Amino acid sequence: MAQQAEIHVSRKIVEGVQAPSGDQPVTPAPHLRQHVWFATEDVRAGTAPSPTFEWSLQGAYAHEGKTATGTAHVFLAPGHRNLERPLILADGFNYGPSDLPGLWKHFDKKEGGNFLTRLRDSGIDVILLGFDERHTYIQANAGVAVACIERAASERIGSEPLIVGGVSMGGMITRYALARMESEDHDHQTGTYFSWDTPHNGAWIPLILQQMAYFFESFIPEEPGHPKQAELIRSPAAQQLLWAWVENSKYEGPVATSSKLRTDFLRELASYGNFPMRPKKIGVANGHGAGVGLKLTPGETAFDWKNRYNTVSAKALVQPDKGESEPIGSMHIALEIRRSSTTAVPALDGVPGGTLGSFGMVAQALGIEVDERFDSTCFVPAVSAIALDFDPATWDVDPALDISSLDRDRSDLDDFLCDGENSPHSEPRRALTDFLVNHFTR
């Protein structure tokens, strides 16, 4: 029987650590303020066209007593006066409300193949679907997706099937929405489902960095009206998406699908058949498809910093590959200490996948200089983004698998394409854009 993936935390005082005297600082970094760690910034460069229509949406159902809300921007294809060939692209994982102009600018970059302009020029009406709380429950935002699907179907002229999908978590939201609609005999009128670097089987943020988000947050003064730095990590969306998650900096125990929110979500999704069955299912992954990972060595030090009084420190190691009680880093302020290790956790930092600047973000927040080689780690492993058929709770899979050599029937998608390198999560890449546009316009 395989070992259980676990984290271990020691809070014992070690030699050299001392309580600060009256003139010695105990803040982690002089400039550190409360801001949400691991959230990506909205795209500001470029311009976005004005939508033809704007829809205010309310979820078709509530989840845990919460009815989510959102907005859709509708961009009719040239020459269209009404919806004729609707494509819904749902926004993904982040904190706070969607920025739909930013989403347009992100996906219509020239270097990425002008994805949205090409769709419209081919006669497809683009609907960008945003959520007022991207960080809430997947099921709640799926209710907003259902409302958008229903409205698009009702306002469409003719009978052209819908194309429905999303980027990142947006692919999970629409996957759940379509599967639930089918289970409830609700005709979604969708011919194609698509996902862009969606963590179908889970995503990854280094456990040591999750701990740091919680740990240093408690030493930073709260700012009224501003979220705390660990708000995204503790959010329902993160708990449901992340394969390995810790609830606070002191937590010890199992980390694989450790949140009840993820366990319940996976069980509920399975009860709806896991995927919608009626539409064709296609996807793209920002990870390398031939098993080529990042140049990160398991167990090597990403950063190791302490102030000159040794009253504050932060050390992060690249996730070791399984093993038992393998160190992953430490942190302390005054006499409050965390030294962490893991057992049976795979070396996911460097596996092929869409990347996130996790180490870089945390180092910058703490005012630490870090070699640019350590800026980014894998966020959505390629084996997850292509919906390879394995247990999303236990991850009984080689995450560095050479996908290019596999039979297509190993995936729950009907067709997929991986990037030729490990590019930033959700980044539009010309080959990925071409693949989707060609499918949509056949």
Side-chain angles (χ1 to χ4, degrees):
M1 185 175 178
Q3 278 187 296
Q4 183 171 238
E6 294 183 324
I7 190 168
H8 321 285
V9 181
S10 171
R11 292 185 278 160
K12 294 180 180 178
I13 297 173
V14 295
E15 185 178 353
V17 172
Q18 58 184 13
S21 63
D23 61 345
Q24 293 175 343
V26 294
T27 54
H31 64 279
L32 191 62
R33 300 178 60 194
Q34 291 285 10
H35 74 281
V36 181
W37 284 17
F38 311 115
T40 52
E41 294 185 0
D42 295 324
V43 178
R44 304 197 182 279
T47 58
S50 298
T52 314
F53 309 116
E54 183 174 318
W55 298 341
S56 294
L57 300 167
Q58 181 169 309
Y61 45 75
H63 181 74
E64 296 292 326
K66 180 179 182 61
T67 301
T69 54
T71 302
H73 283 185
V74 181
F75 302 87
L76 296 183
H80 288 188
R81 300 182 65 181
N82 302 98
L83 280 175
E84 295 183 24
R85 298 177 63 194
L87 177 147
I88 298 173
L89 170 61
D91 196 11
F93 179 68
N94 215 328
Y95 189 84
S98 294
D99 169 25
L100 293 181
L103 186 62
W104 177 281
K105 290 184 283 187
H106 175 76
F107 272 107
D108 210 48
K109 295 174 183 175
K110 182 178 180 181
E111 62 271 25
N114 297 110
F115 181 45
L116 303 181
T117 293
R118 286 176 63 187
L119 291 176
R120 292 181 72 204
D121 287 346
S122 69
I124 292 174
D125 305 306
V126 173
I127 303 171
L128 298 185
L129 173 58
F131 308 99
D132 291 339
E133 289 186 15
R134 286 176 286 184
H135 54 282
T136 194
Y137 302 95
I138 291 174
Q139 297 98 316
N141 277 333
V144 179
V146 170
C148 187
I149 291 167
E150 291 175 333
R151 183 155 182 180
S154 68
E155 296 196 9
R156 173 197 51 185
I157 302 298
S159 58
E160 187 74 23
L162 275 62
I163 302 169
V164 177
V167 58
S168 185
M169 188 179 68
M172 291 299 293
I173 290 169
T174 49
R175 170 184 162 186
Y176 174 94
L178 293 170
R180 178 167 173 171
M181 291 176 82
E182 288 184 1
S183 179
E184 296 174 348
D185 293 324
H186 188 169
D187 187 5
H188 50 58
Q189 301 183 49
T190 299
T192 301
Y193 161 79
F194 72 97
S195 62
W196 193 304
D197 213 37
T198 290
H200 286 292
N201 289 319
W204 166 260
I205 290 177
L207 293 169
I208 187 64
L209 301 185
Q210 293 185 42
Q211 286 186 303
M212 286 183 181
Y214 294 117
F215 180 77
F216 289 116
E217 172 188 83
S218 60
F219 292 90
I220 307 169
E222 291 189 31
E223 298 182 33
H226 292 271
K228 296 182 178 181
Q229 69 183 30
E231 286 300 295
L232 186 55
I233 283 294
R234 67 166 60 91
S235 72
Q239 294 184 50
Q240 292 178 315
L241 282 185
L242 293 174
W243 171 71
W245 177 79
V246 294
E247 62 186 46
N248 56 54
S249 68
K250 300 177 183 178
Y251 172 79
E252 291 190 273
V255 294
T257 313
S258 59
S259 170
K260 184 177 184 298
L261 295 186
R262 178 165 170 81
T263 302
D264 290 348
F265 173 70
L266 293 177
R267 184 183 302 116
E268 191 175 342
L269 186 60
S271 75
Y272 296 138
N274 276 319
F275 274 87
M277 295 295 106
R278 297 176 199 162
K280 182 176 184 178
K281 297 174 284 291
I282 59 175
V284 294
N286 282 103
H288 200 297
V292 179
L294 304 174
K295 295 180 179 179
L296 297 174
T297 303
E300 70 176 324
T301 301
F303 58 77
D304 185 1
W305 170 84
K306 61 183 178 182
N307 69 359
R308 64 193 181 99
Y309 304 104
N310 199 21
T311 55
V312 184
S313 69
K315 180 178 182 179
L317 276 61
V318 175
Q319 175 62 47
D321 193 17
K322 300 182 180 179
E324 188 167 349
S325 298
E326 295 286 341
I328 59 171
S330 61
M331 63 212 79
H332 94 279
I333 292 182
L335 299 181
E336 194 71 28
I337 295 169
R338 308 283 185 273
R339 285 182 291 123
S340 305
S341 59
T342 55
T343 292
V345 175
L348 292 174
D349 287 349
V351 303
T355 65
L356 183 69
S358 303
F359 282 125
M361 288 181 187
V362 173
Q364 183 179 32
L366 295 174
I368 301 171
E369 290 189 9
V370 62
D371 188 306
E372 64 180 15
R373 182 167 66 87
F374 297 106
D375 277 350
S376 296
T377 63
C378 175
F379 177 52
V380 178
V383 293
S384 178
I386 65 142
L388 194 68
D389 185 13
F390 63 88
D391 187 343
T394 61
W395 272 54
D396 52 343
V397 67
D398 175 6
L401 202 62
D402 181 354
I403 296 167
S404 64
S405 64
L406 299 179
D407 292 334
R408 293 281 156 159
D409 60 7
R410 291 281 304 278
S411 168
D412 286 315
L413 301 175
D414 297 309
D415 200 5
F416 62 82
L417 181 70
C418 294
D419 199 359
E421 57 184 275
N422 296 299
S423 52
H425 170 60
S426 84
E427 183 69 16
R429 305 281 286 179
R430 188 171 292 274
L432 306 184
T433 294
D434 290 346
F435 175 82
L436 290 179
V437 171
N438 290 339
H439 265 285
F440 297 154
T441 56
R442 285 175 181 171

